[in-house]
Short mmCIF file of all heavy atoms in Angstrom, two decimals:
data_model
loop_
_atom_site.label_atom_id
_atom_site.label_comp_id
_atom_site.label_asym_id
_atom_site.label_seq_id
_atom_site.Cartn_x
_atom_site.Cartn_y
_atom_site.Cartn_z
N TRP A 43 171.64 125.15 94.90
CA TRP A 43 171.80 126.46 95.49
C TRP A 43 172.10 127.51 94.44
O TRP A 43 172.74 127.23 93.43
CB TRP A 43 172.95 126.46 96.51
CG TRP A 43 172.64 125.72 97.76
CD1 TRP A 43 171.79 126.08 98.75
CD2 TRP A 43 173.20 124.47 98.18
NE1 TRP A 43 171.78 125.16 99.76
CE2 TRP A 43 172.64 124.14 99.43
CE3 TRP A 43 174.12 123.59 97.62
CZ2 TRP A 43 172.95 123.00 100.13
CZ3 TRP A 43 174.43 122.43 98.31
CH2 TRP A 43 173.85 122.15 99.55
N GLN A 46 174.58 134.10 95.86
CA GLN A 46 174.67 135.54 95.65
C GLN A 46 175.96 136.03 96.27
O GLN A 46 176.22 135.76 97.44
CB GLN A 46 173.47 136.25 96.30
CG GLN A 46 172.14 135.89 95.67
CD GLN A 46 170.99 136.63 96.31
OE1 GLN A 46 171.17 137.42 97.24
NE2 GLN A 46 169.80 136.41 95.80
N GLN A 69 182.93 130.63 116.93
CA GLN A 69 181.71 130.47 116.15
C GLN A 69 182.01 130.07 114.71
O GLN A 69 181.08 129.87 113.93
CB GLN A 69 180.86 131.74 116.21
CG GLN A 69 180.03 131.82 117.50
CD GLN A 69 179.11 130.62 117.67
OE1 GLN A 69 179.50 129.59 118.21
NE2 GLN A 69 177.88 130.75 117.23
N THR A 81 177.19 121.43 108.97
CA THR A 81 177.48 120.01 108.74
C THR A 81 176.39 119.13 109.30
O THR A 81 175.93 118.17 108.67
CB THR A 81 178.84 119.64 109.40
OG1 THR A 81 179.84 120.50 108.88
CG2 THR A 81 179.21 118.20 109.12
N SER A 85 173.67 117.12 106.82
CA SER A 85 173.78 115.66 106.91
C SER A 85 172.46 115.01 107.30
O SER A 85 172.05 114.01 106.72
CB SER A 85 174.87 115.26 107.90
OG SER A 85 176.13 115.75 107.53
N MET A 95 160.42 118.64 107.10
CA MET A 95 161.64 118.58 107.91
C MET A 95 162.87 118.70 107.01
O MET A 95 163.83 119.40 107.36
CB MET A 95 161.68 117.28 108.70
CG MET A 95 162.91 117.16 109.61
SD MET A 95 162.84 115.65 110.59
CE MET A 95 164.55 115.56 111.17
N GLY A 97 163.10 120.24 104.20
CA GLY A 97 163.20 121.63 103.76
C GLY A 97 163.77 122.54 104.83
O GLY A 97 164.60 123.41 104.54
N ILE A 98 163.32 122.35 106.06
CA ILE A 98 163.80 123.18 107.17
C ILE A 98 165.31 122.93 107.40
O ILE A 98 166.08 123.88 107.56
CB ILE A 98 162.99 122.91 108.46
CG1 ILE A 98 161.58 123.52 108.31
CG2 ILE A 98 163.69 123.48 109.71
CD1 ILE A 98 160.63 123.18 109.44
N LEU A 124 197.87 143.89 110.82
CA LEU A 124 198.40 143.95 112.19
C LEU A 124 199.91 144.12 112.19
O LEU A 124 200.62 143.55 111.35
CB LEU A 124 198.07 142.67 112.96
CG LEU A 124 196.59 142.36 113.22
CD1 LEU A 124 196.48 140.97 113.86
CD2 LEU A 124 195.97 143.42 114.11
N ILE A 129 200.23 141.94 117.43
CA ILE A 129 200.05 140.48 117.50
C ILE A 129 200.54 139.96 118.85
O ILE A 129 199.85 139.18 119.52
CB ILE A 129 200.81 139.80 116.34
CG1 ILE A 129 200.12 140.13 115.00
CG2 ILE A 129 200.88 138.29 116.55
CD1 ILE A 129 200.92 139.75 113.79
N HIS A 141 199.04 129.88 111.72
CA HIS A 141 198.11 130.21 110.62
C HIS A 141 198.30 131.61 110.05
O HIS A 141 197.54 132.00 109.16
CB HIS A 141 196.65 130.09 111.12
CG HIS A 141 196.40 128.81 111.84
ND1 HIS A 141 196.43 127.57 111.24
CD2 HIS A 141 196.11 128.56 113.16
CE1 HIS A 141 196.17 126.62 112.11
NE2 HIS A 141 195.98 127.19 113.29
N LEU A 145 192.29 131.99 107.87
CA LEU A 145 191.12 131.52 108.62
C LEU A 145 191.20 130.01 108.81
O LEU A 145 191.20 129.28 107.83
CB LEU A 145 189.83 131.90 107.91
CG LEU A 145 189.30 133.31 108.18
CD1 LEU A 145 188.80 133.44 109.59
CD2 LEU A 145 190.29 134.39 107.86
N THR A 159 181.66 116.77 117.69
CA THR A 159 180.75 117.59 118.48
C THR A 159 179.31 117.57 117.96
O THR A 159 178.45 118.23 118.50
CB THR A 159 181.23 119.06 118.49
OG1 THR A 159 181.23 119.55 117.15
CG2 THR A 159 182.60 119.18 119.10
N THR A 163 171.63 110.86 113.54
CA THR A 163 171.23 109.48 113.92
C THR A 163 170.27 108.82 112.96
O THR A 163 170.13 107.60 112.98
CB THR A 163 170.56 109.49 115.31
OG1 THR A 163 169.29 110.16 115.22
CG2 THR A 163 171.44 110.16 116.36
N ALA A 176 171.45 122.59 119.88
CA ALA A 176 172.57 123.25 119.17
C ALA A 176 172.31 124.73 118.98
O ALA A 176 173.20 125.56 119.15
CB ALA A 176 172.80 122.57 117.82
N ARG A 181 173.36 130.30 120.54
CA ARG A 181 172.85 131.57 121.08
C ARG A 181 173.61 131.97 122.33
O ARG A 181 174.00 133.14 122.49
CB ARG A 181 171.35 131.41 121.38
CG ARG A 181 170.60 132.69 121.71
CD ARG A 181 170.41 132.93 123.20
NE ARG A 181 170.00 131.75 123.92
CZ ARG A 181 170.32 131.52 125.18
NH1 ARG A 181 171.09 132.37 125.86
NH2 ARG A 181 169.92 130.43 125.79
N ARG A 197 179.50 144.21 117.51
CA ARG A 197 178.27 143.89 118.23
C ARG A 197 177.06 143.85 117.30
O ARG A 197 176.16 143.02 117.47
CB ARG A 197 178.05 144.90 119.37
CG ARG A 197 179.03 144.76 120.51
CD ARG A 197 178.77 145.80 121.60
NE ARG A 197 177.44 145.66 122.17
CZ ARG A 197 177.12 144.80 123.14
NH1 ARG A 197 178.05 144.00 123.65
NH2 ARG A 197 175.89 144.74 123.60
N GLY A 215 161.54 123.73 116.34
CA GLY A 215 160.40 123.38 117.19
C GLY A 215 159.18 123.06 116.35
O GLY A 215 158.44 122.09 116.65
N GLY A 220 155.62 118.80 114.10
CA GLY A 220 155.09 118.12 112.91
C GLY A 220 155.41 116.65 112.92
O GLY A 220 154.56 115.81 112.60
N ASP A 223 153.30 114.95 115.69
CA ASP A 223 151.88 114.88 115.32
C ASP A 223 151.61 113.79 114.30
O ASP A 223 150.50 113.22 114.27
CB ASP A 223 151.42 116.23 114.73
CG ASP A 223 151.27 117.32 115.79
OD1 ASP A 223 151.30 116.97 116.99
OD2 ASP A 223 151.16 118.49 115.39
N SER A 227 150.51 106.74 117.54
CA SER A 227 150.75 106.69 118.99
C SER A 227 151.19 105.33 119.47
O SER A 227 151.80 105.19 120.52
CB SER A 227 149.48 107.12 119.74
OG SER A 227 148.42 106.23 119.45
N ASN A 229 153.21 103.33 117.62
CA ASN A 229 154.46 102.95 116.99
C ASN A 229 155.39 104.14 116.92
O ASN A 229 155.38 104.92 115.97
CB ASN A 229 154.22 102.39 115.60
CG ASN A 229 155.50 101.86 114.96
OD1 ASN A 229 156.56 101.85 115.59
ND2 ASN A 229 155.41 101.43 113.72
N TYR A 230 156.20 104.28 117.93
CA TYR A 230 157.17 105.37 118.03
C TYR A 230 158.17 105.32 116.88
O TYR A 230 158.74 106.33 116.50
CB TYR A 230 157.90 105.23 119.37
CG TYR A 230 158.97 106.26 119.65
CD1 TYR A 230 158.63 107.48 120.22
CD2 TYR A 230 160.31 106.01 119.36
CE1 TYR A 230 159.60 108.42 120.51
CE2 TYR A 230 161.28 106.95 119.63
CZ TYR A 230 160.92 108.17 120.20
OH TYR A 230 161.90 109.08 120.47
N SER A 236 163.09 99.62 110.64
CA SER A 236 164.22 98.87 111.19
C SER A 236 164.44 99.16 112.66
O SER A 236 164.93 98.32 113.40
CB SER A 236 165.50 99.17 110.40
OG SER A 236 165.88 100.53 110.53
#
Side-chain angles (χ1 to χ4, degrees):
W43 289 288
Q46 296 183 358
Q69 279 302 87
T81 304
S85 298
M95 181 177 166
I98 288 173
L124 295 174
I129 291 168
H141 311 294
L145 275 291
T159 61
T163 68
R181 190 262 316 149
R197 290 179 61 83
D223 287 347
S227 62
N229 186 3
Y230 180 85
S236 65

